[in-house]
Amino acid sequence: MALAGTQQLPHIPRIPQPKSAPVSAALMRSLSAWDKQKRIEAQECARQVAKIKAQEKRLSIEAEFDLSYEVLLDAPTLFSVAFSLNVFCGGAHPDRVERGIVFDLTTGKAYDPLKLYAIASKGQFGYEFRSSVREMIRQRLIEKRGPTLKDDECLQALKDDDIRHIDDGIVALGHKGLAITYSGAHVVQACFAPVVLPYSALKGFLNQQEAARLRWQQ
């Protein structure tokens, strides 16, 4: 939804709730905190645009904060949601963010899927995909481009990208596999699309102790 160039808070959709398990008080606190943070972000976006319009009265711009959700996994112990955000707060261009958030229903708190699937290792600047996983992601990104075309500029970008660093939310749990929303550099962001790494291909990375705790049967 487009926001008026004021500080008025728009309607922001709430994050979905699980149906496979009761919503505990701890989970409700986590979901409410998530919703509150998104409302704060939307309000700040509107403020930024209002400030720009006050300084540059000839500009005709409106803030945008379009947020939508999709449930990826609704299991007895794990709940995973993808979110898509189209946002414009007065910068050079709008941004699109596609990420995921996972909750451990046994604790009611946000959960890091890397605890369940050890597909990353600690690098100099944070966690990085392991080399075999990087190539797995690359192959699926290239396959998603369809038949190879000589004039497909994205093909070279996908081949050249390190696909290394893991930002918050780019790994989530899905029904059939890990949902990966790696996006690359902004200039080639449109070349990258969400991909799924099948659980059958990730069995060697599964943390058996964590899987037992969560009664994970993939």
Side-chain angles (χ1 to χ4, degrees):
M1 70 193 66
L3 313 182
T6 68
Q7 296 184 20
Q8 182 178 1
L9 182 65
H11 170 73
I12 302 297
R14 293 182 179 275
I15 190 171
Q17 297 183 9
K19 298 180 179 179
S20 294
V23 178
S24 66
L27 177 62
M28 183 57 71
R29 286 193 294 271
S30 295
L31 297 176
S32 297
W34 173 273
D35 287 334
K36 180 180 179 180
Q37 180 60 37
K38 289 292 170 278
R39 290 196 298 271
I40 291 172
E41 291 173 9
Q43 197 168 38
E44 180 58 28
C45 182
R47 287 196 187 103
Q48 290 179 26
V49 170
K51 183 177 180 180
I52 293 172
K53 293 180 72 172
Q55 294 172 344
E56 303 288 341
K57 298 187 182 300
R58 294 183 180 182
L59 285 180
S60 178
I61 60 173
E62 301 296 336
E64 182 178 346
F65 199 90
D66 286 334
L67 177 64
S68 61
Y69 292 104
E70 177 188 359
V71 175
L72 297 177
L73 178 71
D74 190 349
T77 60
L78 289 166
F79 183 59
S80 180
V81 179
F83 66 93
S84 177
L85 175 62
N86 292 306
V87 59
F88 177 71
C89 302
H93 43 67
D95 282 320
R96 179 177 177 84
V97 178
E98 291 183 307
R99 292 289 187 268
I101 178 70
V102 181
F103 296 93
D104 179 347
L105 300 187
T106 70
T107 65
K109 297 181 179 180
Y111 181 74
D112 183 357
L114 299 181
K115 294 180 179 179
L116 185 60
Y117 285 92
I119 61 171
S121 58
K122 187 77 172 184
Q124 184 179 0
F125 302 106
Y127 281 96
E128 302 175 351
F129 287 116
R130 297 185 186 276
S131 58
S132 60
V133 177
R134 292 203 298 270
E135 293 314 308
M136 202 182 301
I137 295 171
R138 189 189 316 280
Q139 185 60 35
R140 278 157 179 76
L141 285 167
I142 291 174
E143 289 173 355
K144 205 159 188 177
R145 296 297 304 174
T148 302
L149 301 175
K150 292 182 179 180
D151 60 349
D152 187 351
E153 296 179 357
C154 282
L155 187 59
Q156 194 60 47
L158 296 177
K159 290 180 178 180
D160 292 343
D161 197 291
D162 282 344
I163 310 182
R164 183 179 299 271
H165 300 292
I166 302 179
D167 297 326
D168 288 344
I170 73 170
V171 180
L173 296 167
H175 179 64
K176 296 182 178 180
L178 289 183
I180 309 293
T181 51
Y182 181 87
S183 58
H186 196 281
V187 66
V188 293
Q189 191 173 26
C191 295
F192 292 79
V195 296
V196 174
L197 303 184
Y199 291 127
S200 59
L202 298 171
K203 290 183 178 180
F205 299 99
L206 182 63
N207 181 332
Q208 296 294 341
Q209 184 175 356
E210 188 71 352
R213 182 184 75 83
L214 293 166
R215 304 191 300 278
W216 182 252
Q217 298 179 351
Q218 294 290 348

